[in-house]
Amino acid sequence: MDALDEKTNGGPPMEVEEIVSVHDHEAFAAKHMPDLGHEVKDFTVFTWRLTNWKKLEKKLTSPEFECGGHRWRILLFPFGNSNAPPNDTVSVYLDYADPKRAPEGWHACAQFALVISNIHDPTIYTVSHAHHRFIAEECDWGFTRFSELRKLFSVQDGHTRPTIEDESADVSVFVRVLEDPTGVLWHNFVNYDSKKETGYVGLKNQGATCYMNSLLQSLFCTRYFRKAVYQIPTEDDHPTESVPLALQRVFYHLQTSDQPVGTTELTKSFGWKSLDSFLQHDVQEFNRVLQDKLESKMKGTKAEGAIQKLFVGKMKSYIKCVNVDFESSRIEEFNDIQLNVKGMKNLYESFKDYVAVETLDGENKYMAEGYGLQEAKKGIIFQSFPPVLHLQLKRFEYDIQRDAMVKINDRHEFPFEIDLDEFLDETADRSQPWVYKLHGVLVHSGDLHGGHYFALIKPDRETRWLKFDDDRVTPVTDREVLEENYGGEMMTNGLVPPMQRNQVRTMKRFTNAYMLVYIRECAIDEVLAPWKDEDTPAHLKRRLEEERLQMEAKKREREEQHLYLTAKVITDQTFAEHEGFDLATFDERNWPATDLPSFRVLKNEPYSTFKARVAQHFNYPEKQIRLWVLVNRQNKTVRPDTHIPENEPQLTVEAIRNTMAVRQQNDLRLYLDIIADPSHPEIPPGSIMVFLKHFDIANQRLTGVGKVYVPRSSKVSDLIPIINERMRWSPDTPLKLYEEIKPGMIELMKPKLTFTQSEIQDGDIICFQVDMNEKELHDYEVQGMYSNPVQYYDFLQNRVMILFKPKFDETDAEHPEFHLTLSKKQNYDVMSAKVGERLNWDPIKLRFTTTHSNGTPKQVLKRSLNQSIQEIMSPAYVSPQTTVILYEKLDVSIVELETKRSLKVIWTGIHNKEESTHPFLLPKTNSVHDLAVELSKQVKLTPGGTGKIRIFEVSKDGKTQKEFTGSEMIGNIPDPVELYAEEIPREELEADDADKVISVFHFSKEVSRTHGVPFRFVVKPGEKFSETKKRLQARIGVSDKDFAKYRFALIQHATFKQPSYIEDEDTIYDHKFAPEDVLGLDHVDKSGKTRTGAGEKAIVIRG
């Protein structure tokens, strides 16, 4: 205990005026130890009297005392411990007396106050308090700077004597050991094991996906749902492309793993790239889209109907006349119920509000068919609730004053059990009670613009409540499930006296429930049936078990990596296929490494054992092979240097690397030398090993043709007959020989010099070509070919591999992905010619775009600049990396495109239907009006119509048109853009001042699920909606059969998202239209073109 950190949970100690005696234990504790809201298990006060203070040892421990089944003592440094300046402070701590004897994994949660008081007057004291979870690693806690010594020895204001008088004082500790029903009170969660403590594991958060994690945990714990997901056949699926398989895998890992489970496979299967995953969607929308997706995948399988059975209930909206026998009603299914929080005390009140009956009377009477205007009751009543009931609490609402969405943090209580019988129609089936038990609480902590989500779930009747907070699962108390998520004011410490230190301020809580999951009591045993082994599909177990074993093997391999090194072996065959510098490519910047036979070798493996393995692998007797070690020469080339000695039995592979090669390298690079005559294995004395490469001018290729041993003293020209024989050419074929010294240094050799004079050594490379006359060489050069090795090596030095991909199209036969090898010195024109040749497309009609390192488009290349490949690729790429360039096949010349703007306009005619798409290529200076004129030549306008065309964009939310004035220059319209055009109907053109022109859009069920194209429509004064509908039908040209299925809603900007459906008797003209108020047509999307607002991206799950 020589150095202790500053361990203060309380503020600095302070002398308090109110007179309470240290001896009055209850009053003293009440005053100085705030109620932390936890049950007290035991309370003890221990006092220790000290005399001769100035003669005390530097460190003292009091006698032990017992509290809450634990032994404690006071730890005192009368002159401060070593962390504090010496001799001017007192340090005092509460110490767990004998942690070594305590049972393994022990802990104690204690709240305590440490006091030094006057022995004659116990109202004179100095006190500090704190609370702490005592564990083996942190078994003392308290105050390093409890008080300055001089203050304790001198009389302080308002007192008549000092705290330490005559060098004597009482040191007391007040200890409350608190109950810890969950076992995790004040836990620091270092080395916490969710699986061990709760039997469950968490989900990793990818960043802003905790709303998804909380829902997934809730669905996982709904065992009937998990079983249904497992029943979807997925044997042949790929996890990142199939939502059911990815979800099965997440569920299986949650079942079997002891570590938090990742969800990246799942979000990939949704087709989410990083950005989408990080847009915090609303959990209700995510749930609905996921359920829709799974429901479609369950069709025709054992699981068909499971989602309907679990989550879908029925409600009836009705209008019932009071004085005549007439009722108009419609029955709808629901997956969840959205309940108001604002102004509602609890869940029961929210349900009462949902089914509240509105009276239609006075001016607001209902036009009943055949009965005229009648007083009526309008409302909703439930016909059935599903076994698993998802309740969405409307915590997020539109605030008209602020013109913004706000979060409602009001207090709203919900119970562990609720009886929903009174909210059901009298015709409902009451053979079983409609009592529901709380199973899950999804909580949002924070404000509108973010925050954090977690889930509280009771997995079955026997298991306690658990908190699923991303990657951690912990037990919780009932209070943490209910009270702490009601919202409203903090209740815990609302009554703390103002003088008390360390009090928790009364404040609004931003942590509250936004979704509740209730399960019907009579269905619990089926919905949460105990999990049986056979409920998990065998194919999934098999597949994941295999993956687990592979992962473990890989992990083992990684852990043992330091014991191994990799030996890469160059053979005459790999050399023959190698086109580049040296005998193989190892770490060149713009070129992939050569694929060489590799061996994973234990570093301490004897060379003899390793050599036997190599011989066996290549099918040679051991005596017929010799291995050479390659070294990095000073000029940056990699060449064979010496062969490994055979007669040292102690030689290990690591020793070879360390002494003969380079210690820093992870791999050992070797050349396999096949001995022609094993009976004479020795290398002829005075000879050197030289490698040969052939530059084939006709085929523009460089190939390795093995090696030869030559005497040092022989002449360079002596090689020519050897080469001619090896190449099976006639003996008098003239050759030119070049030495490959290093990249950029390829030199013609002098045939009359000896190899010694030419400075040739083991491992050097000599390149040869057939000697030709000037005319032949000139013919090759005219064709753009390299006429000698020097030029060809220069190309190799500058070559780059570029991957070409189609920019917008999916890869197919017409738009392939392909690699081309180009030189950095070549330019745009050469590149476009080569790509044109590969695609069989006119190069002038190709447009190229460079890419960022993640593959996304960067900028379009301008042909007019004719840059070099080096400039196109710059800045230098990280090694080794393939440069990716995107191409587009155009219908027009790129020259024209660089001065013109290409646009597509979708024509919706007079009836708001997408009829055709028209591409235009017009000068950038043309106006939108010019574009309309061009369009009018290509589309058919209504005979006798207005002949006028409106060009517009669609607003981000998909609800309104953004019209152009006509004078805008098309070159200035931001890219990308989706343009629409329609014929302006006569009705709109001739509308008078009394008429209103409003926006109309299409949606399906949810206001955010817009589709089709919005349009404008004239609303006439005094016209009943039954008449307005007829004109609407004519405006959009829909058949009676289809139009009968349409519903109509007024979407007010002020009430945000909540549509109010319109009845035939309404006169919508009378609605005071705010600029953003629109009419919505609610019908099934047959266009297949769902659009989503950018402000609020609808969730799309693809796989």
Side-chain angles (χ1 to χ4, degrees):
M1 175 71 241
D2 26 71
L4 250 182
D5 294 339
E6 179 72 352
K7 297 184 174 179
T8 57
N9 274 37
M14 82 191 215
E15 287 66 31
V16 179
E17 289 77 15
E18 285 175 60
I19 297 177
V20 178
S21 163
V22 176
H23 295 168
D24 185 351
H25 294 171
E26 294 301 327
F28 190 89
K31 177 170 160 47
H32 292 291
M33 296 167 75
D35 177 3
L36 298 176
H38 302 287
E39 202 180 321
V40 178
K41 182 177 177 182
D42 196 3
F43 173 57
T44 300
V45 180
F46 172 75
T47 301
W48 176 32
R49 179 158 294 185
L50 292 166
T51 54
N52 286 330
W53 190 283
K54 289 184 178 165
K55 294 197 173 71
L56 290 175
E57 308 243 338
K58 277 189 177 172
K59 171 185 171 182
L60 298 161
T61 49
S62 74
E64 293 179 12
F65 63 94
E66 199 270 344
C67 181
H70 302 278
R71 310 281 307 155
W72 307 89
R73 61 188 182 180
I74 298 170
L75 175 60
L76 175 75
F77 295 80
F79 313 104
N81 84 353
S82 54
N83 271 2
N87 306 333
D88 63 357
T89 57
V90 173
S91 306
V92 59
Y93 308 89
L94 175 61
D95 187 26
Y96 194 90
D98 194 356
K100 292 194 172 59
R101 286 229 188 106
E104 196 190 343
W106 69 272
H107 77 276
C109 295
Q111 180 190 17
F112 60 93
L114 286 158
V115 195
I116 297 181
S117 60
N118 184 293
I119 60 174
H120 307 296
D121 182 351
T123 63
I124 298 174
Y125 56 80
T126 298
V127 59
S128 268
H129 69 84
H131 62 268
H132 181 60
R133 181 185 180 91
F134 289 82
I135 53 174
E137 294 75 23
E138 288 181 344
C139 52
D140 57 65
W141 202 256
F143 308 96
T144 301
R145 292 181 175 78
F146 177 79
S147 175
E148 288 181 42
L149 259 179
R150 62 178 182 78
K151 284 190 177 172
L152 296 175
F153 275 101
S154 56
V155 178
Q156 297 298 303
D157 286 354
H159 292 310
T160 53
R161 40 208 326 172
T163 306
I164 301 178
E165 191 174 356
D166 302 330
E167 293 202 40
S168 301
D170 282 338
V171 181
S172 306
V173 64
F174 288 64
V175 182
R176 278 185 196 142
V177 172
L178 303 178
E179 294 287 2
D180 179 12
T182 60
V184 292
L185 180 61
W186 307 329
H187 202 302
N188 63 10
F189 296 110
V190 174
N191 303 325
Y192 177 77
D193 183 339
S194 294
K195 186 79 164 199
K196 188 171 142 203
E197 303 296 336
T198 65
Y200 289 81
V201 293
L203 288 164
K204 294 177 193 162
N205 187 349
Q206 289 184 49
T209 55
C210 39
Y211 71 91
M212 175 179 84
N213 289 355
S214 54
L215 181 76
L216 288 176
Q217 289 283 18
S218 166
L219 293 172
F220 170 75
C221 291
T222 310
R223 294 180 192 155
Y224 189 95
F225 174 82
R226 192 196 322 171
K227 202 183 291 186
V229 168
Y230 277 160
Q231 285 171 337
I232 304 173
T234 54
E235 285 87 332
D236 306 323
D237 291 6
H238 191 278
T240 55
E241 287 152 20
S242 154
V243 173
L245 176 58
L247 190 57
Q248 286 174 355
R249 290 165 70 94
V250 168
F251 282 178
Y252 183 82
H253 287 311
L254 284 173
Q255 247 167 255
T256 57
S257 173
D258 52 7
Q259 294 298 320
V261 175
T263 54
T264 40
E265 245 178 25
L266 184 64
T267 51
K268 273 191 185 139
S269 76
F270 296 164
W272 293 5
K273 301 295 180 282
S274 54
L275 176 71
D276 289 326
S277 316
F278 305 126
L279 283 175
Q280 291 212 359
H281 296 302
D282 103 21
V283 75
Q284 174 197 11
E285 186 190 3
F286 172 71
N287 189 17
R288 215 169 275 184
V289 176
L290 180 63
Q291 305 283 23
D292 287 353
K293 186 85 204 167
L294 292 170
E295 205 163 10
S296 66
K297 299 280 186 180
M298 286 175 178
K299 284 201 170 65
T301 75
K302 261 201 209 153
E304 185 166 1
I307 285 179
Q308 184 81 12
K309 177 181 169 180
L310 268 186
F311 301 113
V312 177
K314 287 189 174 147
M315 61 169 84
K316 177 171 88 169
S317 28
Y318 63 87
I319 298 177
K320 189 175 167 63
C321 294
V322 175
N323 303 315
V324 296
D325 185 16
F326 179 86
E327 180 176 347
S328 148
S329 65
R330 184 175 59 243
I331 291 175
E332 287 183 80
E333 293 186 334
F334 64 87
N335 286 56
D336 50 33
I337 305 171
Q338 296 202 28
L339 297 172
N340 283 322
V341 168
K342 201 163 183 58
M344 304 292 148
K345 199 164 140 273
N346 54 31
L347 195 63
Y348 176 75
E349 280 191 15
S350 297
F351 266 106
K352 291 280 279 191
D353 169 66
Y354 200 89
V355 299
V357 178
E358 182 190 346
T359 304
L360 305 178
D361 55 9
E363 286 187 0
N364 202 14
K365 279 185 178 164
Y366 173 63
M367 174 65 80
E369 215 170 302
Y371 295 98
L373 287 171
Q374 290 287 337
E375 193 178 320
K377 305 274 186 205
K378 178 181 178 185
I380 288 172
I381 190 83
F382 290 98
Q383 294 210 307
S384 67
F385 293 109
V388 179
L389 183 58
H390 282 173
L391 303 176
Q392 305 285 345
L393 304 182
K394 283 155 72 175
R395 288 276 179 198
F396 298 101
E397 280 199 358
Y398 182 80
D399 181 323
I400 298 177
Q401 269 71 44
R402 297 190 204 173
D403 183 26
M405 290 293 282
V406 292
K407 183 174 176 199
I408 294 161
N409 289 306
D410 298 4
R411 183 176 176 85
H412 180 265
E413 299 173 9
F414 49 89
F416 277 133
E417 182 180 289
I418 188 167
D419 187 343
L420 299 177
D421 190 291
E422 69 175 276
F423 309 114
L424 285 161
D425 198 356
E426 65 264 14
T427 59
D429 172 4
R430 287 181 164 76
S431 54
Q432 297 267 19
W434 289 94
V435 173
Y436 278 77
K437 294 274 197 193
L438 187 62
H439 164 70
V441 182
L442 274 62
V443 180
H444 177 262
S445 174
D447 64 6
L448 182 76
H449 305 293
H452 182 60
Y453 294 81
F454 59 88
L456 301 155
I457 300 169
K458 187 173 183 354
D460 53 44
R461 287 186 196 269
E462 286 68 48
T463 310
R464 69 183 304 158
W465 279 91
L466 300 172
K467 177 179 182 178
F468 293 80
D469 188 351
D470 283 341
D471 50 12
R472 186 186 301 147
V473 186
T474 51
V476 286
T477 57
D478 287 0
R479 177 195 168 79
E480 285 173 272
V481 177
L482 300 183
E483 175 64 50
E484 293 193 3
N485 299 305
Y486 289 161
E489 302 292 324
M490 286 271 199
M491 303 302 267
T492 343
N493 297 87
L495 308 168
V496 174
M499 278 307 295
Q500 195 169 68
R501 279 182 281 137
N502 203 26
Q503 77 182 46
V504 183
R505 281 202 323 261
T506 305
M507 56 180 281
K508 254 212 180 329
R509 279 192 290 202
F510 295 103
T511 301
N512 36 51
Y514 68 94
M515 177 173 154
L516 304 172
V517 182
Y518 279 91
I519 300 183
R520 191 175 177 187
E521 190 170 25
C522 60
I524 288 180
D525 294 338
E526 186 185 5
V527 173
L528 304 179
W531 195 259
K532 297 196 289 293
D533 197 41
E534 60 268 25
D535 293 337
T536 311
H539 75 88
L540 196 63
K541 280 190 197 166
R542 224 180 13 257
R543 188 165 173 170
L544 290 161
E545 189 54 26
E546 281 167 15
E547 285 178 20
R548 190 182 64 78
L549 293 171
Q550 282 169 1
M551 293 271 289
E552 281 182 6
K554 273 197 181 139
K555 187 178 168 199
R556 246 194 335 273
E557 197 172 301
R558 273 200 310 276
E559 284 167 357
E560 295 171 359
Q561 191 56 48
H562 64 286
L563 303 174
Y564 289 84
L565 56 79
T566 305
K568 294 184 171 176
V569 181
I570 295 171
T571 64
D572 287 341
Q573 189 184 348
T574 67
F575 177 50
E577 290 162 5
H578 168 63
E579 187 161 20
F581 293 92
D582 294 334
L583 308 186
T585 304
F586 288 105
D587 27 34
E588 208 178 299
R589 230 192 165 151
N590 295 305
W591 207 253
T594 311
D595 190 13
L596 295 172
S598 295
F599 298 83
R600 189 164 180 256
V601 197
L602 268 169
K603 290 178 179 173
N604 59 7
E605 185 171 302
Y607 171 62
S608 51
T609 313
F610 170 62
K611 183 183 172 187
R613 271 169 71 191
V614 175
Q616 188 183 359
H617 177 87
F618 291 109
N619 256 334
Y620 285 106
E622 272 182 66
K623 288 200 168 77
Q624 208 181 335
I625 68 167
R626 177 189 297 127
L627 289 166
W628 291 68
V629 178
L630 275 78
V631 297
N632 293 357
R633 291 187 177 176
Q634 277 180 327
N635 66 4
K636 303 261 184 350
T637 58
V638 184
R639 302 289 173 84
D641 182 58
T642 41
H643 59 85
I644 300 169
E646 305 284 341
N647 48 6
E648 295 182 24
Q650 301 308 313
L651 196 60
T652 64
V653 177
E654 186 174 30
I656 292 169
R657 185 196 61 183
N658 292 353
T659 56
M660 301 174 74
V662 186
R663 177 169 286 174
Q664 287 72 22
Q665 248 164 248
N666 259 341
D667 49 5
L668 179 61
R669 300 162 180 184
L670 303 169
Y671 166 65
L672 178 69
D673 182 4
I674 308 299
I675 301 164
D677 180 2
S679 59
H680 294 89
E682 307 78 29
I683 295 170
S687 62
I688 41 182
M689 177 173 70
V690 174
F691 288 83
L692 302 173
K693 287 184 182 176
H694 170 217
F695 174 55
D696 177 349
I697 189 167
N699 293 312
Q700 297 282 288
R701 284 204 61 200
L702 186 70
T703 47
V705 287
K707 53 124 187 6
V708 308
Y709 286 105
V710 292
R712 292 173 191 277
S713 53
S714 60
K715 290 205 171 91
V716 170
S717 56
D718 294 348
L719 254 184
I720 293 174
I722 299 171
I723 292 170
N724 282 335
E725 185 185 341
R726 187 166 289 192
M727 300 300 290
R728 297 185 177 159
W729 293 337
S730 67
D732 52 357
T733 308
L735 301 179
K736 269 189 164 171
L737 303 181
Y738 295 81
E739 186 191 351
E740 177 193 313
I741 299 168
K742 64 175 187 180
M745 200 168 179
I746 315 298
E747 293 185 352
L748 187 62
M749 297 183 74
K750 296 179 175 155
K752 291 186 175 148
L753 295 183
T754 64
F755 287 107
T756 306
Q757 288 166 323
S758 306
E759 297 182 359
I760 297 294
Q761 65 188 68
D762 277 327
D764 279 351
I765 298 169
I766 292 175
C767 175
F768 60 88
Q769 84 177 98
V770 176
D771 198 2
M772 297 183 177
N773 60 40
E774 289 297 321
K775 182 185 177 307
E776 287 174 302
L777 291 174
H778 181 68
D779 289 347
Y780 282 115
E781 284 172 1
V782 168
Q783 294 174 58
M785 291 160 84
Y786 302 109
S787 63
N788 62 47
V790 179
Q791 294 172 359
Y792 192 72
Y793 272 112
D794 181 67
F795 160 70
L796 291 181
Q797 194 180 348
N798 287 291
R799 71 182 165 174
V800 283
M801 175 105 60
I802 295 183
L803 173 61
F804 289 91
K805 287 181 170 182
K807 185 169 181 180
F808 297 118
D809 306 276
E810 290 292 317
T811 308
D812 57 23
E814 287 297 298
H815 304 91
E817 251 185 45
F818 55 92
H819 286 94
L820 283 183
T821 301
L822 298 167
S823 163
K824 287 187 214 167
K825 294 182 173 179
Q826 288 167 328
N827 57 18
Y828 178 97
D829 287 342
V830 174
M831 175 177 84
S832 65
K834 287 193 185 264
V835 174
E837 192 182 325
R838 173 71 178 75
L839 292 172
N840 199 11
W841 196 262
D842 182 350
I844 203 77
K845 291 185 176 176
L846 285 171
R847 178 159 67 168
F848 299 99
T849 307
T850 57
T851 55
H852 292 285
S853 54
N854 62 0
T856 53
K858 190 173 176 184
Q859 75 188 95
V860 173
L861 289 175
K862 283 201 162 52
R863 175 184 173 272
S864 50
L865 297 175
N866 199 14
Q867 293 167 292
S868 70
I869 304 288
Q870 172 77 42
E871 290 168 314
I872 290 170
M873 282 175 57
S874 69
Y877 282 77
V878 197
S879 77
Q881 173 157 1
T882 310
T883 305
V884 179
I885 292 181
L886 308 174
Y887 68 83
E888 296 162 82
K889 291 165 135 184
L890 307 173
D891 303 325
V892 293
S893 135
I894 188 161
V895 180
E896 214 179 331
L897 198 61
E898 286 180 3
T899 57
K900 295 188 175 180
R901 174 77 192 265
S902 163
L903 290 167
K904 278 184 182 162
V905 181
I906 297 165
W907 173 246
T908 61
I910 189 87
H911 288 311
N912 186 241
K913 302 254 186 311
E914 293 194 21
E915 292 178 10
S916 50
T917 302
H918 301 271
F920 293 97
L921 186 69
L922 297 169
K924 289 180 178 174
T925 50
N926 272 19
S927 66
V928 172
H929 176 72
D930 298 333
L931 177 62
V933 172
E934 290 299 318
L935 179 65
S936 65
K937 297 172 189 170
Q938 297 189 18
V939 295
K940 202 169 162 198
L941 295 169
T942 318
T946 60
K948 292 200 178 312
I949 285 177
R950 170 189 294 128
I951 292 181
F952 60 94
E953 281 183 85
V954 173
S955 62
K956 282 181 175 171
D957 61 7
K959 295 186 179 65
T960 52
Q961 297 184 347
K962 286 163 66 181
E963 191 178 351
F964 290 97
T965 61
S967 59
E968 299 88 347
M969 265 174 33
I970 62 171
N972 293 341
I973 298 174
D975 210 14
V977 66
E978 229 180 342
L979 296 179
Y980 294 85
E982 64 179 359
E983 181 178 342
I984 300 177
R986 189 165 289 287
E987 187 175 59
E988 185 187 330
L989 207 65
E990 294 170 358
D992 60 27
D993 289 349
D995 294 338
K996 289 180 183 174
V997 178
I998 63 165
S999 289
V1000 187
F1001 77 105
H1002 307 266
F1003 71 99
S1004 177
K1005 291 185 186 159
E1006 301 275 317
V1007 178
S1008 58
R1009 288 183 173 180
T1010 56
H1011 57 89
V1013 182
F1015 60 96
R1016 300 208 173 153
F1017 181 68
V1018 177
V1019 181
K1020 300 197 170 291
E1023 180 182 68
K1024 286 273 178 269
F1025 194 64
S1026 50
E1027 293 303 309
T1028 311
K1029 272 198 326 200
K1030 290 173 186 164
R1031 288 192 303 106
L1032 255 176
Q1033 184 179 357
R1035 169 76 172 88
I1036 57 177
V1038 174
S1039 69
D1040 290 349
K1041 182 180 168 214
D1042 282 345
F1043 200 67
K1045 296 176 190 160
Y1046 279 46
R1047 295 170 64 199
F1048 307 89
L1050 201 56
I1051 315 296
Q1052 287 170 264
H1053 188 60
T1055 57
F1056 189 83
K1057 278 191 175 177
Q1058 296 308 322
S1060 41
Y1061 283 92
I1062 302 166
E1063 303 297 336
D1064 283 0
E1065 282 59 51
D1066 295 338
T1067 304
I1068 62 169
Y1069 183 89
D1070 297 345
H1071 172 71
K1072 292 186 170 46
F1073 277 88
E1076 286 91 357
D1077 291 357
V1078 289
L1079 175 63
L1081 309 186
D1082 179 356
H1083 61 101
V1084 175
D1085 174 18
K1086 292 188 173 172
S1087 69
K1089 292 194 94 170
T1090 306
R1091 68 173 57 257
T1092 56
E1096 154 165 336
K1097 248 178 139 188
I1099 296 186
V1100 182
I1101 292 182
R1102 297 191 181 83

